[in-house]
Amino acid sequence: MTELEPKPGSRPAPRASRAGRFASLAERQQLACLALTGRREALEAHLKSLRDSENDAVGRYHLALALAQEARVRDALGILRSLITETPANAQARRLAYRLLIHEVECAARAGEWPTVSQLIAETMDMSPEEVDPATELNRFKHVVPLAHLRAGRRSQAAQAWEEQLRANPSDFRLLHNLALLHYWWARGLDGGSENPKAPMLAAIAYWTALVHSDAFWNNWSQNRQEAWGFRLPSGELEALRSSFLEEHLDLWLQSRVDHAKRHKNQTLAQT
């Protein structure tokens, strides 16, 4: 059964209505043909007559497709972003935007433009159609994915991504450091807010404690300081720094937090 044929048991559509549907479908086919044959200028000219019509969005999608075929990816993405903003459920626009964003991520990664990669990955995850799991395809850039989550304000997803990487490589002290910093500033940012900071606070304590006991981290830290300062920190001073680190950077913060809560008679926060 074709789209123009009536369903069994339904009343035949009025002739004028059927003619209108046929004209609309024919116009869509024309738009697709113009895009696929690379006749972008003719497509743009035809689009001027489609403003406020039901095929306007279809025409803009095909214009984005034509631009992508000319390697004008950023122009194509500009149109697709507009379409998705107007109609978030536009699966066709999302699929094309997703493929183009993956291409842009790969180009930025080859150029070593990691801040751009992080930004594009965040957008790729937001733009992906429902049937796609972007994490599978973006696994090649797994070291950037948590940063993309942070850029988008998704701290729990960033923590989850780094934790998965840490389970796969428990000796990677850089991941420990990332998680310690993430949860510390997460908890600090929740001070006095409506969200309970207990979970990120406990995680911060756990990760910083693990980091203090990581010889690999401190050896690396000492080597970096030597390169920056021009001399190596004496082992006695390094051990003193490690032994006092938790007290100076966590205990004092927690105590000041309790004192602040008590002054403001916030017993719930003081007991957290």
Side-chain angles (χ1 to χ4, degrees), residues 202-221:
L202 292 176
I205 294 171
Y207 284 120
W208 278 114
T209 301
L211 207 58
V212 163
H213 292 87
S214 170
D215 291 334
F217 170 79
W218 290 103
N219 289 337
N220 179 264
W221 183 89

Side-chain angles (χ1 to χ4, degrees), residues 39-144:
R39 298 173 62 190
R40 178 179 54 80
E41 292 181 355
L43 176 57
E44 288 177 323
H46 190 68
L47 269 173
K48 294 178 181 178
S49 65
L50 294 179
R51 290 175 181 170
D52 300 324
S53 76
E54 63 177 339
N55 282 336
D56 175 62
V58 176
R60 285 188 287 153
Y61 166 80
H62 286 297
L63 177 57
L65 183 60
L67 288 166
Q69 291 177 153
E70 296 178 6
R72 294 175 56 182
V73 175
R74 294 182 181 179
D75 292 335
L77 282 170
I79 294 173
L80 294 169
R81 289 184 183 106
S82 176
L83 287 172
I84 294 169
T85 298
E86 294 170 11
T87 312
N90 191 329
Q92 191 178 40
R94 283 187 176 275
R95 292 188 191 101
L96 180 55
Y98 176 76
R99 296 313 322 167
L100 295 180
L101 284 166
I102 290 290
H103 168 78
E104 289 290 272
V105 169
E106 292 170 344
C107 290
R110 284 196 296 270
E113 299 171 352
W114 298 113
T116 301
V117 171
S118 173
Q119 179 181 352
L120 288 169
I121 286 177
E123 185 176 15
T124 302
M125 291 186 288
D126 287 337
M127 289 279 195
S128 61
E130 289 185 2
E131 71 273 12
V132 171
D133 178 13
T136 301
E137 194 154 9
L138 294 171
N139 188 54
R140 292 168 290 165
F141 312 101
K142 61 183 179 181
H143 59 296
V144 183

Side-chain angles (χ1 to χ4, degrees), residues 126-175:
D126 287 337
M127 289 279 195
S128 61
E130 289 185 2
E131 71 273 12
V132 171
D133 178 13
T136 301
E137 194 154 9
L138 294 171
N139 188 54
R140 292 168 290 165
F141 312 101
K142 61 183 179 181
H143 59 296
V144 183
V145 168
L147 299 177
H149 280 305
L150 284 179
R151 180 183 290 273
R154 297 186 290 258
R155 289 175 296 197
S156 60
Q157 289 92 328
Q160 181 180 358
W162 271 324
E163 286 165 354
E164 289 175 357
Q165 294 177 29
L166 184 61
R167 282 193 290 271
N169 190 5
S171 63
D172 192 337
F173 59 83
R174 294 177 181 83
L175 294 172

Side-chain angles (χ1 to χ4, degrees), residues 21 166 229:
R21 289 177 58 200
L166 184 61
W229 299 339

